[in-house]
Amino acid sequence: MNNWQPWSLRELVGDLTTGATTPAEALQRSRARIAETDPELRAWVELGAPASANGPLGGVPLAVKDIVDVAGLPTRCGSQLRADAPPAAADAAIVTAWRNAGAIPVGKSVTTEFAYFAPGPTRNPAAPEHTPGGSSSGSAAAVAAGQVPLALGSQTAGSVTRPAAFCGVASLVLTRGRFSVEGVTGLSPSLDSHGFFAAGASDLALAWSALTGEPDSGLATGRPPRLLLWTPQALEPPMATALTSACAKLRAAGAVIDEFPDGRLIAQLTAAHPVIMAYEAARERAVELAAASQLSEQLATLLRTGAATSEHDYETARRTTTEAGERLSELLADYDAVLGPAALGPAPAGITATGDPVLSRPWQALGLPALCVPGMRTEAGLPLGLQLVGAALSETELLATACWSEAALRA
């Protein structure tokens, strides 16, 4: 059975708009696909009782990562410490926003333990013997399998971009602070961002337009973008080859691509990110730190490391991100986005680890919007993702760049 069958949000909304399908039929299709594939994929923690919704999405089934509150469902955060959590009394603010856009939460998708590294049971629809990534593994897998056309995630290091790349779907990490995090169990307040998954960049653009009322970037052809190419040193050969091929296609279609001029800037941000993450996680999850013996070794180590991190080191890391952010803003003034790989390579074999988020750390330290464009594959058929990073609050423009790039890569 081929479990990789992403469900186009744009096609579904078109059918809902014309009456070719109904919200009830969309929910029925979602439930049927979950029943068909989830015994193997295990992308879901719990399914709920969907309610009707009005808005531009018109009844689109939505998966919600299980660190985000949905009224009537428990928020277990992938942890035995929350095994007996009561149902949430109210939706998280971000869930309310998506309901207002017309999406219908159908259940909670698997997260790693408190959105850190200890993996859940989810398998990768594109490659069941390879990790789906983390921490939004259930949401990425649910979209890749066509169980839902839209899913919510969150990113503190690489928890949206990496699973999207590994599972062969698109994702958008929002500018930090774009929407309230009320009702979300966070890990690091200075780093936590909302994100969501869909089949392709055009589907993301439609969802973003429905959520914010901003123009639908997927409807216009757009102009060829100006991009800064970031090529990390440690890329695996299939990703290095794919990145070179993608640049050739984009240039042939008219894009201007210049080399990213300041590798030192990236290195500084990559080093600062884990210091901030550990320091803040130890304080945000102080209750869990007190029960460290019941945590995974990965999370317990993070919290203990953060508790031992000095105020001086934390403030130094924070200053680094502030200064680097100012420098990157200057660089992006003449470009539409930074273009680079979304991960070091394809999804690593095995499901006992979630892969390395290192290529998301610098951008997440700055809280910038980041978009994963799918479509590339290794010779063995494993998905590879490209990453586009834009200036703060430039999601609509970033989506336009992504839609243009997606079309150029498919041509």
Side-chain angles (χ1 to χ4, degrees):
M1 180 188 301
N2 180 12
N3 283 324
W4 189 84
Q5 295 181 22
W7 182 4
S8 169
L9 176 67
R10 190 170 289 278
E11 289 181 9
L12 173 59
V13 171
D15 288 344
L16 289 166
T17 302
T18 63
T21 193
T22 66
E25 289 169 342
L27 288 171
Q28 185 178 26
R29 171 175 166 173
S30 175
R31 286 293 177 84
R33 184 64 177 160
I34 292 170
E36 178 186 18
T37 59
D38 218 54
E40 177 180 358
L41 297 178
R42 303 182 67 183
W44 296 85
V45 177
E46 187 162 346
L47 298 175
S52 61
N54 296 315
L57 294 179
V60 166
L62 174 75
V64 180
K65 181 179 181 178
D66 194 26
I67 63 167
V68 182
D69 287 351
V70 173
L73 294 176
T75 304
R76 297 194 175 99
C77 301
S79 170
Q80 62 175 322
L81 295 179
R82 300 285 183 93
D84 298 323
D91 285 336
I94 190 67
V95 173
T96 298
W98 282 105
R99 281 194 198 270
N100 291 339
I104 299 178
V106 297
K108 307 297 287 290
S109 53
V110 167
T111 176
T112 61
E113 181 193 33
F114 286 103
Y116 195 54
F117 282 160
T122 304
R123 289 186 175 273
N124 188 331
E129 303 307 316
H130 295 247
T131 176
S135 63
S136 307
S137 51
S139 289
V143 169
Q147 296 175 342
V148 288
L150 184 65
L152 304 192
S154 69
Q155 178 153 301
T156 306
S159 297
V160 170
T161 303
R162 185 166 88 263
F166 287 172
C167 292
V169 296
S171 67
L172 176 64
V173 178
L174 309 189
T175 302
R176 186 160 53 251
R178 264 285 199 171
F179 288 87
S180 168
V181 294
E182 180 185 357
V184 179
T185 302
L187 192 60
S188 173
S190 295
L191 301 173
D192 295 340
S193 297
H194 293 297
F196 62 95
F197 301 85
S202 178
D203 302 292
L204 294 177
L206 173 61
W208 177 251
S209 178
L211 180 66
T212 63
E214 296 191 18
D216 183 349
S217 301
L219 295 179
T221 303
R223 59 168 175 78
R226 293 177 60 85
L227 302 170
L228 277 173
L229 174 62
W230 169 50
T231 307
Q233 295 295 315
L235 290 185
E236 297 171 16
M239 179 58 85
T241 300
L243 186 60
T244 299
S245 174
C247 287
K249 288 184 177 180
L250 295 176
R251 284 189 171 110
V256 174
I257 304 178
D258 296 326
E259 293 291 330
F260 192 91
D262 194 345
R264 179 171 164 271
L265 178 79
I266 304 295
Q268 290 173 331
L269 288 166
T270 302
H273 177 279
V275 176
I276 297 170
M277 185 173 179
Y279 181 93
E280 293 190 356
R283 286 143 185 87
E284 188 77 359
R285 300 266 62 87
V287 172
E288 287 75 22
L289 176 58
S293 62
Q294 300 179 61
L295 301 177
S296 67
E297 187 57 36
Q298 297 101 315
L299 183 57
T301 298
L302 173 77
L303 300 184
R304 288 169 179 146
T305 299
T309 299
S310 70
E311 185 82 15
H312 174 270
D313 288 348
Y314 171 69
E315 292 299 340
T316 298
R318 294 274 290 175
R319 280 196 300 276
T320 295
T321 62
T322 299
E323 293 168 3
E326 293 170 355
R327 169 65 175 146
L328 190 66
S329 294
E330 295 173 0
L331 291 172
L332 281 174
D334 295 325
Y335 293 88
D336 295 293
V338 175
L339 167 68
L344 294 171
I351 61 169
T352 57
T354 62
D356 193 336
V358 65
L359 300 192
S360 291
R361 288 189 187 274
W363 319 114
Q364 199 60 28
L366 299 177
L368 299 178
L371 196 152
C372 177
V373 180
M376 300 186 300
R377 296 262 175 170
T378 67
E379 291 183 358
L382 296 174
L384 295 166
L386 290 178
Q387 183 173 201
L388 291 167
V389 181
L393 306 177
S394 71
E395 283 89 344
T396 299
E397 294 78 10
L398 186 64
L399 283 159
T401 298
C403 289
W404 185 94
S405 301
E406 184 177 67
L409 293 171
R410 287 177 175 172

